[in-house]
Amino acid sequence: MSPLTVFLRTLLKSSAIFIGTAAIFLHPSLEWRSGAADRTTVGAQQGAHEAAVTGLIAALKDADQGVRVKAIDALGEIGDARALDALTEALKDKDVTIRRHAAAAIAQLNRGGGGHAHPAPHPHPHPHAVVRQVSR
Amino acid sequence: MIARTVVTAAALLLGAAMQRDLSAAAAALTSPDPVARTRAACALREMGRDAAPAMPQLTALLADGSRVEASACGDRTWGVRGHADSTTPGEQAASAMVAIGSVALPSFSRALSGPAWIARKNAAWGLGALDASAAVPALIDALKDPEASVREQVAWALGAIGDPRAVDALVGALSDASPDVRRQAAWALGAIGDKRAISGLTKALKDEDAGVRRQAAWALGAIGG
């Protein structure tokens, strides 16, 4: 076998390996791009979740009592432990409704969040409409 | 044999009586008296599916926004709650159409893009009450209706149907000029329960309207972690 034939055969073999490897990596079933997109979405959702908890904790100081109550309930539903300090603070509120909701939310937090959904505060605008129960 | 004859005769008489009731009610839908029009719509609703022949007259009544006492239909007014002390012939016509069932969907869809805003509002309610998934794209368009109370009802309908396709449009409605629309959009987002709404709802916690803030807080809890 001449050196030239050996060279050509080696070149062919390595090309085949290169093409095969490239085919594996670039194959659409691997979805590299969408995998990265998914990670971005998860990251964005994580950020949104944290912002929501921070926003709800801030809403515990809202001027409107109804907002404070709904924020407490929501923190119980979400079940994020970062809300515990703020909810414990709310246990000392002078308003008994706030204290009651805070106690329920803390209990819910200890169970890991979730549980029963609180009813929607706003009635739908049609006087004879049927609001579908919010299911979780 | 005799028994069968009696049963047949009774059925025929009942059918004839029902036909008479249906014709009378359908005729009263065009009465000059709004209370009579409301009562006629209520009577048709009681007939449920059997009121289907009156569909054209009921559809025409959707635009009728004359305020009448909620007691116009006696205790037959459907699901009126303590706070609702008035109703309209249009609302009761929409109820009768919902009671007829899904054959009312094309009529509601046409009314949703019609010229009368009261009809558009009642149609939006009807589409939500019938859980009309097929109407979701049309309802999303209707979130841009020039009339705020139509947009409010449309937001309710989208929440009642619960289709995640509506999430982006409803997040947009959290910036609507009308607080009623923003409140209803927040409710709808909580009812749909899609996590994509979390950022928009967090911003709505700082809305100038306390009702919107309450609703946003509730919705965040309904969506959960």
Side-chain angles (χ1 to χ4, degrees), chain A residues 48-49 51-52 55-56 62 64 66-67 70-71 74 77-78 118-122 124-130 132 134 136, chain B residues 78-80 84 91-92 95 122 125 131 152-153 156 160-161 183-184 187 198-199 202 205 210 213-215 217-218 221-222 225:
Chain A
H49 165 90
L56 286 167
D62 198 284
D64 181 278
V67 177
K70 292 299 162 195
E77 295 284 349
I78 292 172
H118 293 273
H122 184 54
H124 49 80
H126 204 284
H128 55 216
V130 187
R132 207 159 67 169
V134 178
R136 286 172 48 86
Chain B
W78 198 21
V80 166
E91 286 174 4
Q92 297 306 320
S95 300
N122 286 324
W125 174 77
D131 206 8
E152 181 188 8
Q153 190 69 67
W156 171 80
I161 297 169
R183 220 175 288 150
Q184 202 62 46
W187 172 81
I198 291 178
S199 285
T202 303
L205 285 175
R213 298 200 299 277
R214 279 182 209 180
Q215 201 65 57
W218 169 82

Side-chain angles (χ1 to χ4, degrees), chain B residues 142-163:
Chain B
L143 272 179
K144 298 184 202 123
D145 196 282
E147 186 65 37
S149 62
V150 176
R151 298 198 298 276
E152 181 188 8
Q153 190 69 67
V154 165
W156 171 80
L158 287 167
I161 297 169
D163 192 317

Side-chain angles (χ1 to χ4, degrees), chain B residues 115-216:
Chain B
W117 73 263
I118 293 173
R120 297 201 297 276
K121 179 183 159 96
N122 286 324
W125 174 77
L127 291 167
L130 284 171
D131 206 8
S133 300
V136 167
L139 285 165
I140 289 173
D141 278 347
L143 272 179
K144 298 184 202 123
D145 196 282
E147 186 65 37
S149 62
V150 176
R151 298 198 298 276
E152 181 188 8
Q153 190 69 67
V154 165
W156 171 80
L158 287 167
I161 297 169
D163 192 317
R165 278 179 294 172
V167 169
D168 289 343
L170 285 166
V171 168
L174 289 175
S175 315
D176 197 282
S178 154
D180 293 333
V181 177
R182 300 200 297 275
R183 220 175 288 150
Q184 202 62 46
W187 172 81
L189 288 166
I192 295 172
D194 191 302
K195 291 198 189 313
R196 284 176 295 153
I198 291 178
S199 285
L201 287 167
T202 303
K203 286 193 197 94
L205 285 175
K206 293 185 177 153
D207 196 283
E208 61 181 23
D209 182 278
V212 178
R213 298 200 299 277
R214 279 182 209 180
Q215 201 65 57

Side-chain angles (χ1 to χ4, degrees), chain B residues 89-105:
Chain B
E91 286 174 4
Q92 297 306 320
S95 300
M97 288 168 70
V98 167
I100 291 169
S102 56
V103 290
L105 289 175

